[in-house]
């Protein structure tokens, strides 16, 4: 799992242990285990948010761990052309290479620690696939795709890309020097990452050596989600055990803690977690397939727009529901 690594974590800025007089460590509200599935033309994924209420995830919608998989020559797979409207897709690739092309002539290539932050906004058609040379050679592939919701006022934003290179990511160390913290977007303890977001949020990839503890401030107005991509350890104030493929939803507080077990599996010597949270948008969600809108009518309009007035079915992508899924927070307009 290369992503971005450093030879000597101890030279990085340290995250000070949160002050005991004002800290409220978040407790675990729930643990779920991601089911395995297949995406696009058949690459393996773990559906990290499966079974979790959209209100707990807000402002996020969906998260797939892509791989980790070692492809044989000729085997690497991507997605066919498909549309999106009303949100952002964030693709973080730790191993391997992915190419994006879209209907506006945009796109790019990401690999080994790069992130592509794509605002679908008003609407886009795109394809995500490994480059031809990688299809021929095969090789390791491991990454994430996160769907970030947009508030009603920004769902019609023009499409845009941010290509965040591995070397631009903010790097920090835990207080004990045993964890490497990569800040992709938002901030941790005053250290900002490069990603620009429409609503306030933070996205972090942390690698913890055996027995390392990562305790860090986490804004009280954010939700807090910890997904274990590899290894095992504990999460939360009550040190709930977690292992590869599990998501912890944390409760209220202004700090969170993750710790790595002394003994790790030989296939992953470290505990690797994605830590994410943001200020909830708290608007109704109407989600079907590749469209995430506020109302059923807007989803139907998206489909009509996509199919240019013809009847048809919603493309099945990313394990997203093909029937309308709706969520209305209490008090939402
Ligand atoms: Mn897509």
């Amino acid at each position: 799992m290369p992503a971005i690594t450093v030879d000597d974590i101890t030279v990085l800025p340290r995250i000070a242990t949160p002050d005991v007089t004002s800290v409220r460590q978040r407790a675990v509200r729930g643990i779920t285990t991601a089911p395995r599935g297949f995406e696009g033309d058949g690459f393996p994924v773990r559906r990290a948010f499966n079974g979790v209420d959209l209100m707990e995830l807000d402002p996020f919608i969906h998260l797939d761990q892509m791989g980790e998989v070692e492809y044989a020559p000729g085997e690497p797979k991507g997605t066919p052309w498909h549309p999106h409207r009303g949100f952002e897709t964030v693709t973080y690739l730790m191993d391997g290479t992915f190419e994006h092309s879209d209907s506006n002539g945009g796109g790019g290539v990401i690999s080994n620690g790069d992130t592509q932050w794509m605002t679908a906004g008003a609407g886009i058609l795109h394809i995500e696939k490994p480059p031809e040379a990688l299809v021929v050679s095969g090789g390791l592939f491991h990454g994430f795709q996160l769907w970030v919701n947009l508030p009603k006022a920004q769902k019609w934003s023009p499409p845009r890309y941010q290509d965040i290179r591995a070397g631009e990511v903010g790097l920090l160390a835990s207080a004990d020097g045993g964890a490497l913290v990569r800040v992709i977007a938002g901030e941790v303890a005053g250290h900002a990452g490069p990603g620009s977001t429409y609503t306030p949020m933070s996205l972090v990839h942390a690698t913890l050596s055996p027995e390392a503890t990562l305790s860090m401030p986490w804004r009280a107005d954010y939700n807090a989600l910890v997904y274990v991509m590899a290894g095992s350890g504990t999460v939360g104030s009550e040190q709930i055990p977690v292992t590869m493929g599990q998501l912890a939803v944390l409760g209220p507080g202004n700090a969170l803690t993750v710790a790595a077990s002394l003994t790790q599996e030989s296939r992953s010597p470290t505990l690797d977690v994605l830590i994410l949270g943001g200020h909830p948008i708290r608007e109704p969600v109407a989600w079907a397939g590749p469209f995430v809108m506020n109302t059923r009518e807007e989803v139907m309009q998206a489909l009509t727009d996509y199919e240019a007035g013809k009847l048809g079915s919603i493309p099945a992508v990313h394990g997203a529901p093909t029937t309308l899924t709706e969520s209305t927070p209490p008090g939402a307009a």
Side-chain angles (χ1 to χ4, degrees), residues 39 70 113-114 147 288 302:
E39 186 48 65
E70 180 76 36
D114 296 339
W147 289 15

Side-chain angles (χ1 to χ4, degrees), residues 79 82-84 87 89 100 118 126-128 145 147 290 317-318:
T79 71
H82 58 274
H84 291 297
F87 66 105
T89 64
H100 291 71
M118 183 186 85
H126 78 157
I127 184 170
E128 305 150 278
Q145 188 168 94
W147 289 15
V317 295
H318 301 300

Side-chain angles (χ1 to χ4, degrees), residues 11-314:
V11 303
L12 296 172
R14 301 278 178 112
I15 299 168
T17 302
D19 177 9
V20 289
T21 58
S22 59
V23 73
R24 285 180 297 120
Q25 284 285 349
R26 290 170 182 256
V28 171
R29 188 140 71 192
I31 303 273
T32 47
T33 301
R36 292 161 182 265
F38 290 93
E39 186 48 65
D41 295 325
F43 57 85
V45 295
R46 288 174 192 259
R47 313 281 187 199
F49 288 171
N50 195 277
V52 182
D53 193 292
L54 280 172
M55 275 182 264
E56 300 267 29
L57 302 174
D58 187 4
F60 308 109
I61 293 285
H62 182 72
L63 179 64
D64 268 350
Q65 181 179 10
M66 307 185 295
E68 174 176 31
V69 58
E70 180 76 36
Y71 282 126
E75 202 183 29
K77 296 176 178 70
T79 71
W81 282 92
H82 58 274
H84 291 297
R85 176 183 280 176
F87 66 105
E88 301 181 295
T89 64
V90 179
T91 309
Y92 174 50
L93 213 59
M94 291 167 290
D95 295 288
T97 304
F98 230 25
E99 280 182 351
H100 291 71
S101 313
D102 72 48
S103 49
N104 297 334
V109 178
I110 53 169
S111 64
N112 301 336
D114 296 339
T115 300
Q116 186 210 52
W117 199 296
M118 183 186 85
T119 305
I124 200 163
L125 275 165
H126 78 157
I127 184 170
E128 305 150 278
K129 62 181 176 57
E132 198 54 40
L134 198 71
V135 175
V136 171
S137 67
L140 192 59
F141 178 73
H142 191 198
F144 281 89
Q145 188 168 94
L146 172 70
W147 289 15
V148 177
N149 202 5
L150 289 169
K152 186 176 181 62
Q154 272 126 22
K155 284 193 180 292
W156 299 92
S157 301
R160 116 183 144 171
Y161 285 103
Q162 297 173 67
D163 281 316
I164 300 167
R165 294 301 164 196
E168 300 170 343
V169 165
L171 298 176
L172 301 169
S174 57
D176 64 8
L180 170 63
V181 177
R182 306 167 187 83
V183 185
I184 298 167
E187 61 89 28
V188 168
H191 298 270
S196 169
T197 65
Y198 280 92
T199 59
M201 69 190 70
S202 290
L203 175 60
V204 169
H205 169 199
T207 300
L208 288 79
S209 301
E211 280 199 296
T213 296
L214 168 61
S215 188
M216 60 187 191
W218 197 257
R219 271 173 54 168
D221 65 318
Y222 282 11
N223 62 345
L225 308 166
V226 178
Y227 177 74
V228 181
M229 66 177 91
S232 61
T234 63
V235 177
S237 55
E238 67 279 70
Q239 299 179 299
I240 303 293
V242 285
T243 191
M244 182 167 68
Q246 290 191 310
L247 176 80
V249 176
L250 303 184
N254 60 11
L256 60 80
T257 296
V258 180
S261 304
L262 169 61
T263 307
Q264 299 287 336
E265 292 184 2
S266 57
R267 63 180 159 177
S268 168
T270 56
L271 170 66
D272 272 78
V273 292
L274 216 55
I275 304 172
L276 62 166
H279 188 81
I281 294 170
R282 292 198 188 93
E283 288 178 359
V285 174
W287 173 22
F291 309 122
V292 183
M293 307 302 291
N294 295 115
T295 68
R296 169 187 292 257
E297 290 70 29
E298 289 167 346
V299 170
M300 291 310 165
Q301 185 62 49
L303 185 59
T304 302
D305 290 352
Y306 169 57
E307 301 205 329
K310 285 176 256 172
L311 291 174
S313 58
I314 295 169

